[in-house]
Amino acid sequence: MPSLLEALELKYGSSTTECSLTDDEGESGSPKAALSVSIFIPKKSPRHTVPALLVLQDCDIECAGNDDEKLRNKCKNVEELDLAQNKLSQWTEVFGILQHMPKIKFVNLSFNCLAEVLEIKHGNYDLLRNLVLNGTRVSWSTVQGLIRLLRNLEELHLSLNEYKTVDLDYRKVENVNRSLKKLHFTGNPVEVWNEISKLGYVFPNLESLVLAECPIRSLGLEENRNLPNDREDLRRQNEDSENCTQDNENMNNVDVEGRTSVDETGKHIITENKVSYDRSESESESSGNKVPSPHDPFRMLRFLNMNGTLLGTWDEVERLSRFPALKSLRIHSCPLFESPREYTEHERRQLLIARLPNVETLNGGGVISSQEREDAERAFIRYYMDKPEADRPER
């Protein structure tokens, strides 16, 4: 099986010379010398130059190579690296490659078998922003080591890794990564929200979370799970993050383009379409310090993808509406909409919009207009007018 260096030489050639000066310089004494123009012409075509975006998928690469200097010269300008579907299995080889790429910003290692535990590596990877580890079966201890090492990482892909639990020690401050904004977790067989909550505690500034095709039935927290017993302890633990992101507080107290009123509990009540009000927790979830809210770890979350999950009741949609910063939601192919088939696609959208007052975009569509929201709320009222009292929602 070839090394990365061998794959590079096979695709781009073994020469490291990039360009030269060619023109009539040798004839400088001729009458045409004053009018001649110097032109830089590559000695080899662009096809033989290692590009900033380097794609070597499915090349059977299993190691870096044994000539560090040659590899460094070839890879010094690489910014994005795609090594998906190769034969890499050892993290020492992965970092043996990355150490020769000082400009690296994006790395895709999907579908390499990287189940081996990572020994923490030292190095400067401050420019690395996006890491894709889909289908690698990477262990949680390795993930924890990576998020400690890659402090500027902004986007992480952990889809299709057969995770049933989230085994991250979020109580240790050194394991918390505040730079990560986007997490893709598609297709992992995690069933309970307690496990998903751990991701929010490790990544307190998370803004985008993709949980498509995860068999999650409810956003409720199950008892006797390893989650913090005291919500105040967790808030103190994430105090630095809250101080650094003033938007966290502002998101629950947004300036409104319209009129608001406040009820006896202190909650904002909608009176105009553009009001953002505090619905981050239900009464049962917020009473006392012993029961954490499922929304606590995700105070900054703006985008959530729940496509293909097992959410089956409108109560779960109500829970989705309580994420304080949520503005964009994807939710379809769930049991709620498939059985029984009592809603048309238009009716389903209207019922969703009416129950999600803070959401601005739904299922990838355009921004919900004030007219569409008003129509949806009217349809919502008409739909439940003829329903038994027990079937009507609280609002």
Side-chain angles (χ1 to χ4, degrees):
M1 295 183 187
S3 66
L4 175 65
L5 183 58
E6 290 169 338
L8 285 172
E9 291 180 343
L10 182 63
K11 187 171 184 178
Y12 299 104
S14 58
S15 173
T16 57
T17 304
E18 296 186 1
C19 63
S20 65
L21 179 64
T22 64
D23 101 317
D24 294 332
E25 290 172 320
E27 303 175 5
S28 57
S30 67
K32 297 182 180 180
L35 299 176
S36 64
V37 178
S38 296
I39 302 174
F40 285 93
I41 301 176
K43 282 188 175 179
K44 56 182 180 179
S45 72
R47 290 174 58 88
H48 294 157
T49 302
V50 177
L53 170 56
L54 177 58
V55 179
L56 291 171
Q57 289 190 5
D58 198 16
C59 293
D60 290 334
I61 296 168
E62 64 174 357
C63 61
N66 54 13
D67 192 329
D68 288 352
E69 184 177 356
K70 187 179 289 188
L71 191 58
R72 188 179 302 111
N73 288 335
K74 285 183 173 292
C75 297
K76 61 185 178 182
N77 293 319
V78 174
E79 298 180 6
E80 300 183 40
L81 176 65
D82 189 343
L83 292 178
Q85 295 178 302
N86 279 286
K87 305 296 183 182
L88 291 166
S89 61
Q90 298 181 352
W91 283 100
T92 52
E93 294 299 333
V94 172
F95 282 98
I97 292 170
L98 297 183
Q99 68 180 350
H100 300 307
M101 301 178 178
K103 298 181 181 180
I104 195 70
K105 298 176 182 178
F106 169 93
V107 177
N108 183 4
L109 298 171
S110 295
F111 303 105
N112 290 274
C113 186
L114 292 167
E116 180 189 73
V117 175
L118 167 72
E119 294 182 6
I120 298 297
K121 298 293 179 182
H122 300 286
N124 184 1
Y125 304 101
D126 290 345
L127 296 180
L128 186 55
R129 297 289 189 271
N130 193 322
L131 180 60
V132 185
L133 298 174
N134 298 333
T136 57
R137 299 189 180 182
V138 58
S139 69
W140 281 116
S141 60
T142 296
V143 172
Q144 194 159 274
L146 289 170
I147 60 180
R148 281 187 184 185
L149 177 64
L150 308 175
R151 302 310 298 180
N152 293 328
L153 197 65
E154 295 178 355
E155 184 167 346
L156 179 61
H157 296 243
L158 294 174
S159 300
L160 303 173
N161 280 320
E162 301 182 9
Y163 297 134
K164 294 183 178 180
T165 59
V166 177
D167 299 324
L168 292 174
D169 191 353
Y170 53 87
R171 291 185 178 275
K172 293 183 178 180
V173 176
E174 61 269 25
N175 291 337
V176 175
N177 188 309
R178 305 184 191 283
S179 67
L180 199 82
K181 299 294 192 297
K182 298 180 180 180
L183 178 63
H184 295 253
F185 204 70
T186 298
N188 288 302
V190 174
E191 297 182 0
V192 297
W193 195 256
N194 301 61
E195 300 300 320
I196 300 299
S197 293
K198 297 174 186 178
L199 297 172
Y201 291 127
V202 172
F203 307 118
N205 291 328
L206 198 63
E207 296 178 0
S208 174
L209 178 60
V210 179
L211 298 173
E213 308 300 331
C214 294
I216 300 168
R217 297 181 181 276
S218 173
L219 274 69
L221 298 177
E222 295 185 1
E223 296 183 2
N224 301 320
R225 287 272 178 172
N226 186 22
L227 276 179
N229 290 325
D230 192 338
R231 291 168 56 197
E232 293 303 318
D233 285 347
L234 272 174
R235 288 178 180 172
R236 285 193 291 270
Q237 177 180 328
N238 290 328
E239 188 176 21
D240 292 340
S241 173
E242 294 174 359
N243 290 338
C244 293
T245 53
Q246 188 65 33
D247 290 342
N248 189 25
E249 179 180 351
N250 292 342
M251 196 59 67
N252 288 333
N253 299 279
V254 177
D255 292 333
V256 282
E257 300 179 17
R259 293 172 288 115
T260 61
S261 59
V262 180
D263 66 9
E264 64 274 8
T265 65
K267 293 183 178 179
H268 292 84
I269 300 174
I270 226 174
T271 56
E272 294 286 343
N273 288 315
K274 292 187 178 180
V275 177
S276 293
Y277 57 95
D278 186 359
R279 286 191 60 181
S280 61
E281 299 163 2
S282 68
E283 289 299 321
S284 61
E285 289 166 342
S286 62
S287 57
N289 288 332
K290 295 300 182 183
V291 181
S293 161
H295 311 97
D296 272 346
F298 300 104
R299 294 286 166 176
M300 306 296 289
L301 192 67
R302 298 181 62 85
F303 172 85
L304 180 62
N305 186 332
M306 299 292 290
N307 290 344
T309 58
L310 298 182
L311 299 183
T313 69
W314 286 108
D315 288 342
E316 298 306 324
V317 176
E318 291 283 346
R319 282 194 168 111
L320 289 171
S321 73
R322 297 176 191 135
F323 288 101
L326 190 65
K327 298 299 178 186
S328 181
L329 176 68
R330 288 178 179 266
I331 177 170
H332 61 72
S333 302
C334 299
L336 173 62
F337 309 127
E338 294 176 356
S339 179
R341 295 180 178 275
E342 60 177 295
Y343 317 107
T344 66
E345 184 176 345
H346 180 63
E347 289 172 338
R348 181 170 65 241
R349 180 174 174 85
Q350 286 189 319
L351 291 175
L352 280 169
I353 290 174
R355 291 178 183 265
L356 299 167
N358 291 339
V359 171
E360 297 176 355
T361 60
L362 180 64
N363 289 333
V367 176
I368 299 168
S369 66
S370 58
Q371 184 62 53
E372 184 180 14
R373 188 170 294 281
E374 181 178 342
D375 292 344
E377 293 183 351
R378 291 179 184 275
F380 178 88
I381 293 171
R382 289 195 300 269
Y383 180 83
Y384 283 101
M385 280 183 63
D386 298 329
K387 297 288 182 181
E389 186 73 25
D391 293 342
R392 295 177 184 176
E394 294 181 3
R395 57 166 298 193

